Amino acid sequence: MSYSNPGPGGYGPPQQPGQPPAGGYAYPQSAPGYGYPNQGASYPAAPPVGYPQAPGYAMPMQPSNGMGTTGLVLGIIGVVCSLTFFLWFFGVILGILGIIFGAVGRGKATRGEATNKGAATAGLVLGITATVILPLLGFLAFASLMSVA
């Protein structure tokens, strides 16, 4: 059995000229002599309404390492400022911020939302150092100098 005018792609029952193919596919439109020859039916971009969507793969979440890194940077700057005599006040403020950001970053790393638990812990320790230990040592040094004089 051979058809003299087969459907799109060379398969199926014959089509009448000028009749769009069944199934909701777009009818190939091209002017004679221009572009590529007719390439058959095109496919729809999305499945019709009522059909289930194929399961896809979601992109994995990127780790949010910003809090731990910020805690580390603020802790380092806080320690440097606490070591200088005239910037100790900024060192205490930056140390407090380093403690906060380091603790939040460490919590995120514990929950698995971040991957830099070491940096967050270092920011926490440096923040405590800049806030408590260095100002206390500076105060003790100043007090011992004043008692000698």
Side-chain angles (χ1 to χ4, degrees):
M1 171 183 216
S2 73
Y3 294 115
S4 62
N5 189 10
Y11 302 106
Q15 298 273 332
Q16 298 295 327
Q19 181 182 8
Y25 297 114
Y27 187 70
Q29 301 284 330
S30 67
Y34 295 106
Y36 294 105
N38 291 342
Q39 297 185 7
S42 63
Y43 297 99
V49 178
Y51 289 99
Q53 192 75 341
Y57 295 101
M59 287 186 58
M61 289 198 46
Q62 297 291 325
S64 59
N65 293 331
M67 292 290 186
T69 305
T70 304
L72 178 63
V73 169
L74 290 175
I76 291 170
I77 296 173
V79 166
V80 170
C81 287
S82 290
L83 288 175
T84 58
F85 178 72
F86 55 92
L87 293 177
W88 67 270
F89 182 73
F90 294 113
V92 171
I93 292 173
L94 293 175
I96 291 171
L97 290 174
I99 291 171
I100 292 170
F101 283 108
V104 172
R106 191 169 153 85
K108 282 188 168 197
T110 303
R111 288 189 303 267
E113 297 174 8
T115 58
N116 63 344
K117 189 172 185 177
T121 303
L124 186 63
V125 169
L126 287 172
I128 291 170
T129 303
T131 304
V132 177
I133 296 172
L134 289 178
L136 184 63
L137 288 176
F139 177 73
L140 290 176
F142 181 73
S144 68
L145 286 177
M146 294 307 283
S147 65
V148 172

